[in-house]
Amino acid sequence: MKVFRRLIAVVIAAALAPVSLLAQEAATVTGRVTNAQGQPEAAVLVRIESLNAGASTGADGTYRLVIPGARIRAGQAVQITASRQGLSPVSRSVTLSPGASLTQNFQMAAQIILLEDVVVTGTAGAVEARKVPFDVGSVSAADIPVA
C-alpha cells in the first residue's frame, strides 16, 4: 500500500511539473538603439538594474535581453535604461511577465560635455604645469571648432 501511494505521488508530481515550469519561463526584451539621425549605435549598455540583467548592442544597434522567469513577478513594472559614454542615457518603464516578449527601441542624443581646463601629462601622477620638465601648451575654447 505504501509503495502504491508513493507511486501515485510521483505520477501526480510528474504531471504537475510542466505547469510549474511554465511559470518559470524567461522574459525577452529586444530592440534597436539609434542616434538622432537614425543610425545604429554600437556598444550601448541596455540594462534593467533592479533585476540585475543587461546586454550590449551589436554593430547594427540591436540587443536581446533575457530575464530568467524566476526573477520576474507577473505584471512587474521595471525601468530599462540605455547608456553609453558620450550619449545621454535614456530610461523607459516596461511591464514584464514570465514568458513575455517585448520590443523596446531607444533613440539617443549626443551628450555635450563642456571642459574648462585639461592638463595632459606623461607622468604617473598629477603634477602642476609649472613643474613639468617639458613643453606645456594650452588651447582655449575659441580654438576648438564646434561641430
Side-chain angles (χ1 to χ4, degrees), residues 115-135:
L115 301 175
E116 289 186 23
D117 295 320
V118 177
V119 175
V120 180
T121 65
T123 63
V127 177
E128 291 182 47
R130 62 185 168 88
K131 292 183 179 179
V132 177
F134 42 84
D135 290 339

